[in-house]
Amino acid sequence: MSKSLPYSMKDVHYDNAKFRQRSVSQVISQVLLTSNGKRDYLKCSTGKLLVLLMLGGLSYLVLTNKSAVHPVSDGIAKNDVSKEGENLMTHGSGKFRRFWRKPPRLPPRLSPDEIISRNRSIQESMKREEPEWVARQQKVKDAFIHAWSGYKTHAMGYDELMPLSHRGVNGLGGLGATIIDALDTAMIMGADEVVFEAGSWIEKHLPERIEGKGQVNLFETTIRLLGGLLSAYHLSGGDQGRVPEQKGPNPSIYLENARNLADRLLTAFTASPSDIPYSDVVLRDKSAHPAPDGLSSTAEVATVQLEFNYLSYLTGDPKYSIEAMKVLQHIKTLPKVEGLVPIYISPQSGQFSGDNIRLGSRGDSYYEYLIKVWLQQKGTNFSYLYDMYVEAIKGVRHLLVRKSVPNGLVFVGELPYGQEGGFSPKMDHLVCFLPGTLALGATKGLTKERAMRENLLTFEDMENLKLAEDLAKTCVEIYSVTSTGLAPEIAYFNIEGTSEGGPDGGNKSSKYLNDIVIKPADRHNLLRPETVESLFYLYRITGDSKYREWGWQIFEAFEKYTKIDSGGYTSLDDVTVIPPQRRDKMETFFLGETLKYIYLLFGNSTTIPLDEYVFNTEAHPIPIISRSV
């Protein structure tokens, strides 16, 4: 048999019950002698003639069959002809045998689902075994330990570390915000010593802090502290979570503190004359009041629902969810601009204030929580949130998305004076949350491959996923265009017909040096997480390794320019010059978000899977309620 055939004589000789090898005489005799009519046609002359004709025909076919059947192959050379003849003779009967042989027995065919499942398992196994990414993930864990060590040494119990001054500062109510914000990151990384230290502090000191402290911001306290406590409760196995062997106190400690804190935060809702809560709460006397200008930020009042919903689920008390969801239900009734909303809202009137529309500060997480709260409550009567999200993203595409000149970076600008006012090509680093949210909204947490296979992506979903990828590239280029490789707080873009003019980022080798303008007041970097957050989502959803590589570049820049030898990391004053001037502040979100997202980006996708969890806007993973029962 030719060596070019994709099977061997062993396959031909394979003896299986369904295709048993038989001789020529067995084939003919079985055909002729097993029929019920055999006696009739053998008795008559016509029948005998037909049998003779059939036998003669078969003999003719065998003797005149000159062609050898081969699969299509470019590998058959002319000098193989003689070898093929030798093989045929060696196996006996040559052409005659090949004519009668049965097809080779093929292996069972897997269903498409089985094939994809098998390939996914192989891919995941390969990811787990990638030594380069395992090593890089370990470096991120080392960075987290270094950041924590600086905080523990110089600022334990304070909200934040000032790493250059070697002291702590309270800017978030004095509740030890870094401890609580960093706790679930330590759990995910398996940093058991940090989990024990943070958990022990919470058990010993947090109750008295909650009872005795004064004014806190509803939004910041909810996303950082309440979210952190609830996530720690779950990850430590409090509700049969995924990591029941975690170190630290009994998980009930986290839930008890979360409930005590939330009971006081609820005053912001109940004290307000409308469904829009006040911005500030005095913890010790359970009172609330509006901000000095009387207004609340739209993003802030609409970014507490994930946390309060989950607390109601855990405690069985619906009051937390009811109060929080009133906000979104009320905003649903208000007039919008193609789904977009102003960044201020009044607790007194319940109406929007001003015309400023943007996805940066005071606007960003309103849009994020529309899709995330819907995902958390999927299967319940909150479909209006998804409709609001879809309408808003259409508005973003129509009114806010532009391309820079000369090189066509896609970015999201602002409407500081509403739809009738002028367009501003200004983009906060905070807007870099949007690529991740768009990707999540398109696939609902599934991989792109699975969503396409199951025919779950609409044309609009595919457009949003493409926009997500384009915006992620822009966010990364805002890093790359600077001398330090770190992003400024705000960037402006040159657009057709309008040139912002002004200083560039300092990296003269960047292709986009003339597209991006960084003004002197906007050059600072606060160790923000939004870009690496989106890289995490896009890698999980698309599997494209470029997002990992981009994340590694950003992490290396953090290591090079923001790491403090004595412990901790610091924000910077100017990312466009080397060496950059340091600012002496390590925000809680560097441990709670930035390092967590980079760590997860370099790790296995089975850790905090996106179809089982939603991350709150402070990166605290919260189980999807409809699937966590």
Side-chain angles (χ1 to χ4, degrees):
M1 180 171 289
S2 170
K3 293 181 181 179
S4 65
L5 291 173
Y7 44 81
S8 67
M9 288 306 300
K10 183 178 179 181
D11 295 304
V12 177
H13 286 298
Y14 187 90
D15 186 14
N16 100 353
K18 189 171 183 180
F19 300 105
R20 187 177 301 278
Q21 185 75 19
R22 296 172 295 174
S23 67
V24 178
S25 60
Q26 286 176 319
V27 172
I28 296 174
S29 63
Q30 184 165 355
V31 170
L32 296 179
L33 301 178
T34 56
S35 171
N36 291 332
K38 60 183 179 183
R39 289 181 298 275
D40 296 331
Y41 63 67
L42 286 175
K43 288 180 180 178
C44 67
S45 58
T46 303
K48 293 176 181 178
L49 177 62
L50 289 174
V51 169
L52 290 173
L53 287 173
M54 183 179 69
L55 291 174
L58 289 172
S59 301
Y60 175 80
L61 288 173
V62 170
L63 295 174
T64 59
N65 181 29
K66 303 290 186 182
S67 64
V69 180
H70 296 283
V72 177
S73 173
D74 293 328
I76 301 177
K78 291 181 180 180
N79 60 2
D80 285 335
V81 175
S82 61
K83 293 182 181 179
E84 183 178 345
E86 292 173 5
N87 287 335
L88 289 174
M89 294 302 294
T90 301
H91 292 296
S93 304
K95 298 171 185 174
F96 184 80
R97 179 160 190 150
R98 262 197 325 196
F99 178 79
W100 289 107
R101 76 181 180 209
K102 69 177 180 64
R105 182 176 182 272
L106 300 177
R109 180 175 295 179
L110 297 176
S111 69
D113 286 350
E114 289 172 323
I115 292 172
I116 291 173
S117 176
R118 180 195 62 184
N119 291 343
R120 184 180 295 114
S121 297
I122 293 171
Q123 291 166 5
E124 292 299 337
S125 176
M126 290 174 65
K127 288 176 185 176
R128 285 193 296 270
E129 295 171 0
E130 287 179 299
E132 179 184 17
W133 292 109
V134 171
R136 289 180 175 183
Q137 192 180 47
Q138 180 60 46
K139 289 182 183 296
V140 181
K141 182 177 178 180
D142 293 342
F144 175 81
I145 299 297
H146 183 78
W148 174 262
S149 68
Y151 171 79
K152 182 182 73 169
T153 302
H154 304 297
M156 191 69 177
Y158 287 89
D159 285 334
E160 293 164 313
L161 167 68
M162 299 180 70
L164 300 180
S165 302
H166 294 169
R167 63 188 181 90
V169 61
N170 285 327
L172 295 164
L175 298 175
T178 290
I179 296 171
I180 301 170
D181 225 2
L183 178 55
D184 62 1
T185 305
M187 290 178 170
I188 290 168
M189 292 182 175
D192 291 343
E193 185 175 348
V194 177
V195 173
F196 179 78
E197 292 166 348
S200 299
W201 187 93
I202 290 170
E203 183 174 21
K204 293 176 183 177
H205 301 291
L206 186 57
E208 64 183 13
R209 296 283 182 102
I210 294 174
E211 298 284 341
K213 287 296 180 180
Q215 181 173 306
V216 298
N217 177 266
L218 168 67
F219 165 72
E220 297 290 359
T221 306
T222 298
I223 66 170
R224 301 192 199 210
L225 283 82
L226 183 59
L229 289 168
L230 293 173
S231 181
Y233 175 71
H234 172 75
L235 293 177
S236 60
D239 62 342
Q240 292 79 50
R242 300 179 65 84
V243 194
E245 68 277 5
Q246 286 289 357
K247 307 296 182 183
N250 188 298
S252 62
I253 296 297
Y254 303 131
L255 183 59
E256 289 168 8
N257 279 284
R259 189 167 193 171
N260 186 17
L261 182 60
D263 285 339
R264 297 165 191 275
L265 295 176
L266 274 181
T267 311
F269 299 88
T270 58
S272 172
S274 73
D275 290 331
I276 303 303
Y278 287 140
S279 63
D280 298 305
V281 175
V282 179
L283 294 177
R284 60 173 170 262
D285 58 14
K286 295 187 178 180
S287 64
H289 56 83
D293 61 3
L295 300 175
S296 294
S297 297
T298 302
E300 292 187 359
V301 301
T303 312
V304 295
Q305 288 70 27
L306 287 175
E307 300 83 355
F308 279 89
N309 286 342
Y310 187 46
L311 182 59
S312 280
Y313 168 78
L314 292 175
T315 63
D317 190 338
K319 67 181 181 183
Y320 308 105
S321 180
I322 288 172
E323 293 297 335
M325 291 305 296
K326 281 180 182 178
V327 179
L328 295 178
Q329 291 161 358
H330 177 78
I331 291 178
K332 174 180 178 288
T333 68
L334 299 179
K336 304 173 184 65
V337 179
E338 296 189 26
L340 306 179
V341 297
I343 62 173
Y344 290 107
I345 191 167
S346 170
Q348 296 295 331
S349 66
Q351 300 298 309
F352 289 122
S353 179
D355 299 312
N356 194 337
I357 292 174
R358 67 186 185 209
L359 270 69
S361 61
R362 301 184 182 277
D364 49 0
S365 51
Y366 161 73
Y367 304 96
E368 176 188 355
Y369 267 41
L370 289 179
I371 188 65
K372 286 185 174 180
V373 175
W374 176 75
L375 284 170
Q376 180 197 38
Q377 302 285 337
K378 203 170 180 182
T380 59
N381 296 322
F382 292 112
S383 59
Y384 72 90
L385 295 174
Y386 183 72
D387 295 338
M388 291 168 68
Y389 169 79
V390 170
E391 182 186 14
I393 297 306
K394 287 180 180 177
V396 169
R397 298 180 67 93
H398 181 218
L399 298 175
L400 302 183
V401 173
R402 296 284 193 280
K403 283 188 177 182
S404 68
V405 294
N407 293 300
L409 283 175
V410 177
F411 71 96
V412 174
E414 300 180 357
L415 298 174
Y417 305 104
Q419 187 175 13
E420 303 305 320
F423 174 83
S424 172
K426 168 179 172 282
M427 181 170 162
D428 293 2
H429 184 274
L430 290 167
V431 180
C432 288
F433 85 93
L434 186 58
T437 295
L438 286 170
L440 180 66
T443 69
K444 318 304 183 288
L446 303 178
T447 63
K448 179 182 178 182
E449 177 194 19
R450 179 180 169 187
M452 292 184 70
R453 173 168 49 88
E454 297 181 7
N455 200 28
L456 299 177
L457 296 182
T458 65
F459 177 75
E460 191 170 11
D461 290 330
M462 293 299 292
E463 279 193 324
N464 287 341
L465 196 53
K466 177 62 167 59
L467 177 60
E469 295 184 286
D470 290 342
L471 288 174
K473 174 177 172 55
T474 298
C475 289
V476 170
E477 293 301 338
I478 294 174
Y479 281 75
S480 299
V481 79
T482 71
S483 299
T484 60
L486 291 171
E489 182 72 359
I490 298 170
Y492 288 80
F493 293 83
N494 291 317
I495 57 176
E496 194 69 45
T498 303
S499 176
E500 281 297 310
D504 55 46
N507 179 8
K508 303 305 180 183
S509 66
S510 171
K511 173 183 176 181
Y512 301 99
L513 191 69
N514 296 321
D515 292 68
I516 300 171
V517 174
I518 304 173
K519 299 183 178 181
D522 305 326
R523 295 175 181 175
H524 52 287
N525 180 286
L526 302 181
L527 310 174
R528 287 199 184 276
E530 287 77 22
T531 294
V532 292
E533 171 186 355
S534 286
L535 298 181
F536 158 72
Y537 278 106
L538 282 164
Y539 176 70
R540 284 281 184 96
I541 287 170
T542 70
D544 192 331
S545 61
K546 72 182 178 186
Y547 299 113
R548 275 182 157 182
E549 295 293 347
W550 289 346
W552 177 246
Q553 292 171 17
I554 292 171
F555 175 73
E556 285 192 305
F558 278 131
E559 285 287 285
K560 185 173 183 178
Y561 294 110
T562 72
K563 187 174 185 178
I564 305 301
D565 291 340
S566 58
Y569 290 74
T570 185
S571 51
L572 302 176
D573 261 334
D574 188 346
V575 296
T576 67
V577 297
I578 296 175
Q581 184 177 345
R582 293 167 166 178
R583 244 189 185 196
D584 197 18
K585 184 77 171 292
M586 184 175 75
E587 303 280 351
T588 76
F589 50 67
F590 184 66
L591 290 87
E593 297 187 74
T594 307
L595 292 179
K596 180 186 295 168
Y597 279 129
I598 299 175
Y599 182 85
L600 290 171
L601 171 63
F602 297 163
N604 192 284
S605 61
T606 59
T607 302
I608 318 294
L610 294 180
D611 58 348
E612 295 180 20
Y613 290 86
V614 284
F615 287 84
N616 85 337
T617 199
E618 192 72 11
H620 297 303
I622 294 175
I624 292 176
I625 290 176
S626 60
R627 300 177 190 174
S628 60
V629 177

